Amino acid sequence: QLLSPELASKFVELDCDSETQVFMDRCIQRPRYIRWAMGILARMLRSLFSRTTANGILGKGGMFVMSKAQARTLLQRNDESGRDGILLDVGAGDGNVTERLLPL
């Protein structure tokens, strides 16, 4: 057994729900010429800016950590009415993950 029983008891398996599938489809379905052009533009911008800034300018590299339904499961929330906690955005992205989870 790779995990201790205590740690294994904390495991929560999440499914690929509709919000997650929409994100995946959007990533995969972008036309090849758009991906190619974005790559060229990103390389040009990286000569002037950091990789993170260049990607931000182009809207590339958006993160999807989990869907609202998945977060609700992990936080053990049944609906969107129990807003009694704090979300900490550590500044590793553009803030869209935290913004999406605000209703929780």
Side-chain angles (χ1 to χ4, degrees), residues 23 26-27 30 34-35 37-39 41-43 45-46 49-64 93-96:
F23 175 81
R26 192 177 42 202
C27 291
R30 183 174 280 173
I34 296 289
R35 292 192 311 260
M38 293 287 267
L41 287 170
R43 278 192 286 280
L45 286 171
R46 282 196 301 262
F49 304 103
S50 70
R51 176 183 300 265
T52 302
T53 301
N55 285 344
I57 290 169
L58 295 173
K60 288 180 57 174
M63 291 190 282
F64 184 91
D94 61 5
N96 72 342

Side-chain angles (χ1 to χ4, degrees), residues 2-88:
L2 296 175
L3 299 176
S4 69
E6 182 181 0
L7 186 57
S9 72
K10 305 292 183 196
F11 176 77
V12 176
E13 185 171 354
L14 301 172
D15 294 325
C16 181
D17 60 13
S18 61
E19 187 179 350
T20 305
Q21 191 61 53
V22 166
F23 175 81
M24 298 297 291
D25 292 343
R26 192 177 42 202
C27 291
I28 294 168
Q29 292 174 354
R30 183 174 280 173
R32 178 175 283 165
Y33 70 91
I34 296 289
R35 292 192 311 260
W36 178 82
M38 293 287 267
I40 298 292
L41 287 170
R43 278 192 286 280
M44 290 173 24
L45 286 171
R46 282 196 301 262
S47 67
L48 302 170
F49 304 103
S50 70
R51 176 183 300 265
T52 302
T53 301
N55 285 344
I57 290 169
L58 295 173
K60 288 180 57 174
M63 291 190 282
F64 184 91
V65 178
M66 68 184 89
S67 70
K68 285 184 207 169
Q70 292 167 338
R72 201 173 286 117
T73 297
L74 290 176
L75 296 172
Q76 299 176 345
R77 298 268 173 90
N78 295 328
D79 58 27
E80 296 185 8
S81 64
R83 293 182 61 183
D84 58 355
I86 295 172
L87 291 175
L88 173 65

